[in-house]
Amino acid sequence: MVAPLYELSILLYIASILFYFIDFLQQNRKANETAFWLLSAVWLLQTLTFAFRIVETKRFPILTMSEGLYFYAWLLITLSLVINRLLRVDFIVFFTNVLAFFILAIHTFVPSSQSPAVAERLVSELLIIHITLALGAYAAFTLSFLFSVLYVLQYSLLKKKKWGARLWRMADLSKLDFLSHVLNLLGLPMLLLGLILGVIWAYIQIDHFHWYDAKVLGSFVVLLVYGVYFYKRVVRQMQGKAIALWNIGSFLFLLVNFFLFDSLSKFHFWYA
């Protein structure tokens, strides 16, 4: 009973953080409301899980490292819900929930009173979520890259005043720019959450895990490159062709990481 509730709460938590990330960058109140209700569902599921553990153990379950981490994550979520409703400090809420997700992910891999079979199942399923999030992020970045390529192509045609059927079949520049940005909005938090789960899994499952492994370094550089994209776009207000070219360059580095660094990695295999 506890394991399905926990797995569902992880999936809802990921969705909540994605919506909070959209609100963080775009000040989108609808995304903020959606994230709040998803997070409320996560809090309810975690509270039910906690109650089941109390009944099962006949004590307040915070005595082991695993139980303590779970309770800590629950407290962070509770506080973030209160802050979101009473104080409206949205940026704090977003970063608090990223931290809480990190704590919750660590909790999964810390030894507890669970049976080995249940623990192994959770590890396996969260690894599947890691791979799914990473591939989902890559798919979003790929489509964003294609929209940026179309943007640069159409920009070039307009500059050269080459009017024709090819130009009219493309969407206008503002729409191409918007779609490219929205896809990156989806891709970056998925990549961040996927990396959190992947690193924790690697620490537990791999005997000789190193931060300087090519795949690990490459993945975090990809995260940094796309983080710089948002810094340039949101903070520095970079617009038009310049930000489209940066996005294209970011995706080309992603391809290098995906194909070259994957082959140089000492542990990153698809079966893992």
Side-chain angles (χ1 to χ4, degrees):
M1 183 65 183
V2 174
L5 290 178
Y6 180 79
E7 293 159 9
L8 179 59
S9 70
I10 288 289
L11 294 175
L12 292 177
Y13 207 169
I14 290 171
S16 174
I17 292 176
L18 289 176
F19 280 106
Y20 268 128
F21 185 76
I22 292 172
D23 176 52
F24 172 69
L25 290 177
Q26 293 191 334
Q27 297 184 350
N28 187 317
R29 301 312 303 174
K30 184 177 289 188
N32 183 278
E33 286 294 318
T34 302
F36 172 81
W37 290 113
L38 285 171
L39 191 61
S40 299
V42 171
W43 180 86
L44 179 60
L45 290 173
Q46 288 195 327
T47 303
L48 289 174
T49 301
F50 201 68
F52 282 129
R53 289 288 295 148
I54 292 175
V55 172
E56 181 183 356
T57 60
K58 296 181 174 59
R59 61 177 173 81
F60 198 65
I62 58 170
L63 299 181
T64 67
M65 176 65 76
S66 175
E67 292 172 347
L69 289 172
Y70 189 86
F71 184 64
Y72 179 44
W74 180 85
L75 285 175
L76 288 175
I77 293 173
T78 303
L79 289 173
S80 69
L81 287 172
V82 172
I83 290 171
N84 188 75
R85 270 306 177 214
L86 298 182
L87 303 179
R88 292 289 183 182
V89 187
D90 296 328
F91 290 176
I92 295 297
V93 173
F94 170 66
F95 289 114
T96 299
N97 280 290
V98 170
L99 175 60
F101 178 84
F102 182 73
I103 297 298
L104 199 59
I106 293 177
H107 153 267
T108 304
F109 301 98
V110 173
S112 66
S113 58
Q114 290 175 328
S115 69
V118 172
E120 183 177 348
R121 181 186 169 201
L122 285 176
V123 169
S124 175
E125 290 183 355
L126 283 179
L127 181 62
I128 291 173
I129 295 175
H130 153 66
I131 295 173
T132 302
L133 284 172
L135 292 178
Y138 284 7
F141 290 146
T142 301
L143 290 175
S144 175
F145 159 77
L146 293 175
F147 280 120
S148 289
V149 169
L150 288 175
Y151 183 99
V152 173
L153 178 60
Q154 185 173 8
Y155 182 89
S156 177
L157 291 173
L158 288 171
K159 277 289 186 181
K160 296 176 181 177
K161 297 183 179 181
K162 292 186 176 181
W163 320 107
R166 185 183 293 107
L167 178 64
W168 302 121
R169 290 183 64 183
M170 298 182 194
D172 61 83
L173 290 176
S174 60
K175 187 173 183 179
L176 292 172
D177 178 67
F178 173 76
L179 291 172
S180 176
H181 181 56
V182 167
L183 286 163
N184 280 342
L185 272 173
L186 295 174
L188 187 63
M190 284 196 291
L191 181 60
L192 172 61
L193 297 175
L195 286 178
I196 288 173
L197 292 177
V199 167
I200 295 172
W201 176 87
Y203 259 115
I204 300 300
Q205 295 292 100
I206 298 172
D207 293 333
H208 303 291
F209 171 74
H210 301 292
W211 282 97
Y212 53 81
D213 182 271
K215 184 63 177 181
V216 176
L217 289 177
S219 296
F220 277 99
V221 173
V222 168
L223 189 69
L224 176 64
V225 167
Y226 277 99
V228 172
Y229 162 87
F230 282 109
Y231 171 78
K232 287 180 175 291
R233 178 167 187 131
V234 177
V235 179
R236 300 293 295 274
Q237 297 293 309
M238 182 181 286
Q239 300 289 329
K241 183 180 178 182
I243 197 66
L245 289 174
W246 182 274
N247 191 41
I248 291 171
S250 300
F251 180 76
L252 294 178
F253 183 82
L254 184 150
L255 289 182
V256 172
N257 176 64
F258 188 79
F259 291 107
L260 177 60
F261 291 172
D262 211 43
S263 64
L264 297 176
S265 176
K266 290 181 169 58
F267 73 89
H268 199 267
F269 304 104
W270 279 110
Y271 67 81

